[in-house]
Amino acid sequence: MAARRYLALALLVAPFTLLAETRVITIGGDVTEIAFALGAGGEVVARDSTSLKPADQVLRLPDVGYLRQLNAEGILALRPSLVLVSELAKPSLALKQVADSGVQVITVPEETSLSAIDRKIQTVATALDRTSQGERLIARLHDDLQAIPAGTLPVKVLFILSHSGMSAMAAGKDTAADAAIRAAGLQNAMQSFSRYQPLSSEGIIASAPDLVVVTADGVKTLGGEEKVWQLPGLAMTPAGKHHRLVVLDDMALLGFGLDTPAAIVKLRAAARP
Amino acid sequence: MRPNKPLLTLGAMAVLLLVLATAAAGFGAMRLMLADIWRSPSDGMLWQIWFHIRLPRVALALLVGTALALSGAVMQGLFRNPLADPGLLGISSGAALAVGLAVVLPWTLTPIFALYSSMAAAFIGSLVVTLVIFSLSSFSAGLARLLLAGIAINALCSAATGVLSWLSNDQQLRQLSLWGMGSLGQAQWPTVAAAASLIVPGALVVQRLSTALNVLQLGEEEAHYLGVNVKRTQRHLLLSSALLVAAAAAVSGVIGFVGLVVPHLVRMTLGADHRWLLPGAVLAGAILLLLADTVARTAVAPAEMPVGLLTSLLGGPWFLWLILRRREAAGV
């Protein structure tokens, strides 16, 4: 009799033990990269279309689509036990439906500041039960940042965003580029406007940048580094006269993820007289 | 037996719709048929996904397809122009402008409200444009002037939306453009109920006016001599089709070409009599959008694609062919 009861209990418990494996879906390029850096790559079963790093492992995974347009059923079909999602994907009905179906959904904060990187890592590490790895990763990033000397340099930096199919834009205030420039202890040359604005010769000359930052994609779009100085007004600035240009990976500089500290260190090094 | 032919066609379409709806409820990213739910009734998760995620989406596709095709049929009848469509009077662009405002303005919304803000905005935007058109139509403006007013409203709203896109940051811009592509991803039972509460009465009002709409095809003066209250009929038709578009835009964004293409398809099979054309448009619109959305949510699973893109991709070439064929017929 007791044996039968145990058997019934075992049958009841069986489905849960089958579900005990951790199946994680990471949504947001920075979130995915952090999960892999913490050594949880084996638990990640799917990612979103903005998750491209580490390329060799991530691109093989199923893609649940763009993070602003998720499909609840598609996510649930992968039977996740945990969905780690960048704050950028919110508000989202699909994620609400996933949470309503009993799957744990954890939001990872999204801000453009160096301290936000620590918070992202802490959130992901706690969710994946890898707090010690998280602490080690944070410590390593802080070591990288030690390369940036304290204090600010009076160097005016112009960040130019250029994608194919649009005119080149300069980064004003309230942009990730502005935050990155300030994190490097430098000044954004474009103080007169917010967000990104198309380049105007007069505005560029008036802002008098000492250093120009272009993304690696931007250089490709423009057709080489020497083409940068042909942009409106740029040749007539201090940076143009001395050809002071630094090329950085846009995801690294603007994504405030794991590669950001190194990109900021590089930016600061380029600003040294 | 002739008068029964449209009835038979409609009956066949209704049966087809039922079959397709049942089939669509069995398709999705999840390998999950009704049979699976019967087999494991204890698995609450399966039932949850089927009943709360997939079924409302099927229902919403039927409703929105109905609304778009019906308002298209009414607009084409009202303006006696086979190229009229629900976007003509600027209702969709009014909705888009309001959504742009909701997305770009720096509100601080509670998460639950943020989820529905674009829906509410789209509805308010379409309603405002509808009321403007409605008050214009009572100002003894003829339909032709109304059409021009609609074009002006369209241009104005599109320009204002353009300004908002220029002001928006990258993320807001993407949110705006995704809304413009249309999606039925917002489907939940409350959404379905809200949409139905507008679309079902709207469809009934339009159906009741189908005979008057037939008479209007003869011209306003002739219809007046035949005892139709032309002004009032036109205004009622306008208002109900505007409400249909408003409800559709609020829950699904902009889904193009269903309103343009479906009435034509139905006219080819059922003829131009609005008593048959309108119910035909209801059924055909529901069938078309159901098929398109089923493809949209299964073709690239686990992701999904915007259904409005699909309908426009299919509708664009059709529209071109239509114009070219009309030119030959008219000898223009």
Side-chain angles (χ1 to χ4, degrees), chain B residues 250-261:
Chain B
V251 293
S252 65
V254 180
I255 297 179
F257 284 103
V258 176
L260 180 74
V261 170

Side-chain angles (χ1 to χ4, degrees), chain A residues 143-204:
Chain A
D143 287 348
D144 290 352
L145 287 168
Q146 290 303 315
I148 299 180
T152 56
L153 281 181
V155 173
K156 291 204 264 179
V157 182
L158 170 68
F159 178 88
I160 298 176
L161 186 71
S162 166
H163 286 299
S164 49
M166 66 173 220
S167 57
M169 313 265 258
K173 293 189 305 239
D174 305 325
T175 56
D178 183 73
I181 291 167
R182 281 185 291 110
L186 309 170
Q187 297 165 12
N188 186 358
M190 284 294 174
Q191 291 296 332
S192 54
F193 57 80
S194 296
R195 293 184 301 270
Y196 292 90
Q197 297 282 354
L199 299 186
S200 77
S201 329
E202 289 189 26
I204 298 287

